[in-house]
Amino acid sequence: MSGDDGSGLPAGEENDLGPGQLYAPFLVMESLLDKLKLLHYDKEFIRELKMKPLNRHYFVIPTNPGEQFFMFTSLAAWLIRKTGGKFEQPQEFDDPNAAIASILDFVRKIGMTVDFPPNRLKPGCGQHVVMVLDKLADEALRATNFKWQKPEPKPEVTEDDTVEEDESELLLERVEEEMAAVYSDDEDDNLLNVDDLRALPGADLVNSESQKPEEILESTTTSEDWQLELERVLPQLKVTIKTDSRDWRSHLQQMHTQHEGIQESLSTAKTRLDKLHFDVSQTMDKIKSREKFLNSQLDPILIEYRSVQDELARVSAQYQEVNGGVNERQRALALVSEELDAVKQEMEERGSSMTDGTPLVNIKRAVGRMKSEILSMNVQIGVLEHSLLQAKLRDKSLLQQDMNSNSYLTV
C-alpha cells in the first residue's frame, strides 16, 4: 500500500486536491455508518452473518486487505438485496474480479457514473469503496421509503448546577472513611476511660437500675401510629451503596455470573458439538466405504496401467537405442549433403565460366587493338624505309659526284 495513504487516494492525486479534500472520505464514511444504522444493519447484517461491527473509519484506513475486501463485498451484497436486487452472499474464496464486476454493473444500473478502474476496489478500502457503499446505502434507504426530516431541537431545561446532598443517604465511602477514622487513632485512644464509659448509653441504664419503676411500663402507641411513623421515616432510611470495582464481592459476583453464562453456553454448544461429531463420524464412515469400493473397482485398472507403463518404458528404451543410430546416420547424411552442395557450386561456377562470352570479347578487343598497333607500326616502318631509301640515294649521288670529280682531276 505504498501508493495510498490514510485517505485512500493515490500518491499522484494528492497534489491535485486541497488539504481539506483529503479528509472527505472520513466524513463520507461517518455518514455511511449512520445510514447503515438507519437500515438496522446491526441486527440484519452483523448478527445474521456474525460479522464484526464497523468503526467509523473502517473502509478509509487500510488494515487487513483480505478482511476489508470480504466485508466490502458482503456489505455491498446485503445493500443490493435491500434495494430489491438479486446478489448471492459472496464467499472468501470467490473470484474478486467477478464480484467487483457484478457490483459495478448494479451501481451503473442505479445511475452512478463509474469513472475509475475496477482494481481500485480490490484493496477493500479507499475513497472509491466508500463512494460505492454510500451510493448503495442511499438507494437502499430510498427503496425502504425512508425520508429525511428536519431536526427538531429539544427545549432547554435549566437545572441547578449544585445538587443538594441528601444527608439521609449513606454512602459506602463515607462509612468506610468514618470507620477508618475511628480505627486509625493512636493506641492511647484505645484505652478505656471511666468518663467515657459514663458517657455511653449503657451507663445510663446502669445508673437507672436503682430508679426502675416497680410496675412494667406499657406503651400507649397504637399500630396505626407506628405505621404512620414508619411511612414518615422510610424515605430517610434509604441507603445508597456505591459499588467498587476493587471489592472482592463484586469480583465474586462476576465470577458466578460468568460461570452461569459459561454453563448455559456449554449446554447449548455441547449439543451442537455432539451433533457435529455424529455428522462428521457418519460422513467419515461413508467416505471410507466409498474409498474401499473405489479401490476394489480400480484395482484391475491399476494393474493394467502398471503393465502398460512398463511396456511404455521398454518401448521408450528401444526407441532411444534406435534414435541413436538414426542420429549418427543423420550426421553422415549432413556431411554428404555439404560435400554435394560444394560439388554443385563448383560445377555451377565452371558451367557459368564456360558459357560466359566475356573472355572472347576481351580477346577480340585485344586482337583488334594489336592489329591497329601493327598497322601503325607498319606505317612507321614504311616511313622509316622511305627515309632510309632517300638517305641511301642521296649518299649514292654524292658518292658518284665525288667519283666524277676525282676522275676529272686525274685527267
Side-chain angles (χ1 to χ4, degrees), residues 292-332:
K292 291 180 181 179
F293 175 75
L294 288 175
N295 291 332
S296 62
Q297 293 292 327
L298 293 176
D299 281 339
I301 300 175
L302 290 174
I303 294 171
E304 184 179 359
Y305 173 74
R306 292 190 186 96
S307 62
V308 172
Q309 193 173 11
D310 295 337
E311 183 68 19
L312 176 62
R314 185 183 63 79
V315 173
S316 298
Q318 187 178 0
Y319 170 76
Q320 292 295 334
E321 294 177 358
V322 175
N323 194 19
V326 172
N327 292 331
E328 293 179 358
R329 290 179 177 83
Q330 284 181 351
R331 285 193 294 270

Side-chain angles (χ1 to χ4, degrees), residues 40-281:
H40 306 289
Y41 93 109
D42 51 350
K43 295 181 181 178
E44 300 180 7
F45 179 73
I46 298 298
R47 291 185 182 177
E48 290 185 3
L49 300 180
K50 297 180 180 179
M51 297 286 189
K52 294 191 299 184
L54 304 177
N55 54 40
R56 57 177 184 168
H57 298 154
Y58 184 80
F59 289 113
V60 180
I61 300 175
T63 55
N64 188 351
E67 178 185 350
Q68 287 178 317
F69 180 76
F70 180 66
M71 179 66 75
F72 161 66
T73 54
S74 301
L75 187 58
W78 178 72
L79 290 173
I80 291 172
R81 291 195 297 269
K82 290 287 288 185
T83 58
K86 294 182 179 179
F87 199 102
E88 296 182 358
Q89 174 63 28
Q91 303 298 326
E92 294 183 2
F93 301 101
D94 291 346
D95 186 11
N97 297 321
I100 292 173
S102 303
I103 293 172
L104 292 180
D105 290 339
F106 185 83
V107 169
R108 292 189 185 96
K109 289 180 182 178
I110 62 178
M112 179 179 174
T113 303
V114 180
D115 55 354
F116 55 88
N119 57 1
R120 292 289 181 87
L121 303 179
K122 278 189 177 181
C125 63
Q127 177 187 7
H128 304 92
V129 171
V130 177
M131 181 174 60
V132 170
L133 291 177
D134 186 66
K135 183 65 177 178
L136 292 175
D138 291 338
E139 191 67 20
L141 289 174
R142 191 178 297 109
T144 55
N145 298 324
F146 179 82
K147 295 182 180 180
W148 297 97
Q149 297 179 358
K150 294 183 179 180
E152 297 180 356
K154 295 182 179 180
E156 297 182 358
V157 179
T158 58
E159 297 180 355
D160 296 337
D161 296 336
T162 59
V163 180
E164 297 181 357
E165 295 184 356
D166 190 359
E167 296 181 355
S168 62
E169 296 182 357
L170 296 178
L171 298 177
L172 182 60
E173 295 180 354
R174 185 181 300 176
V175 174
E176 291 179 353
E177 291 177 358
E178 292 177 357
M179 293 176 64
V182 172
Y183 289 107
S184 63
D185 292 340
D186 297 334
E187 294 180 357
D188 296 337
D189 295 338
N190 293 329
L191 297 176
L192 293 177
N193 194 352
V194 179
D195 296 334
D196 295 337
L197 291 175
R198 291 177 180 176
L200 293 175
D204 295 337
L205 296 176
V206 175
N207 296 328
S208 61
E209 285 182 358
S210 60
Q211 300 177 1
K212 286 183 180 180
E214 296 179 355
E215 296 179 358
I216 298 174
L217 296 178
E218 295 181 1
S219 176
T220 58
T221 305
T222 61
S223 60
E224 289 81 3
D225 296 337
W226 277 106
Q227 189 69 27
L228 292 174
E229 183 66 17
L230 178 61
E231 292 178 357
R232 185 180 65 82
V233 300
L234 184 61
Q236 300 179 3
L237 297 177
K238 183 174 66 174
V239 178
T240 303
I241 300 176
K242 185 178 180 181
T243 58
D244 189 3
S245 60
R246 296 171 297 177
D247 190 9
W248 64 271
R249 296 180 182 84
S250 62
H251 292 173
L252 182 62
Q253 183 65 29
Q254 290 179 2
M255 290 172 62
H256 287 301
T257 305
Q258 296 294 338
H259 180 70
E260 292 176 358
I262 291 172
Q263 291 295 332
E264 292 178 359
S265 301
L266 180 62
S267 61
T268 306
K270 187 176 180 181
T271 55
R272 294 181 180 178
L273 290 174
D274 292 339
K275 183 179 179 181
L276 180 62
H277 179 265
F278 177 74
D279 295 339
V280 170
S281 301

Side-chain angles (χ1 to χ4, degrees), residues 343-354:
V343 172
K344 285 182 178 180
Q345 186 177 1
E346 185 177 358
M347 290 177 65
E348 288 177 357
E349 291 178 355
R350 290 183 179 180
S352 62
S353 63
M354 291 174 66

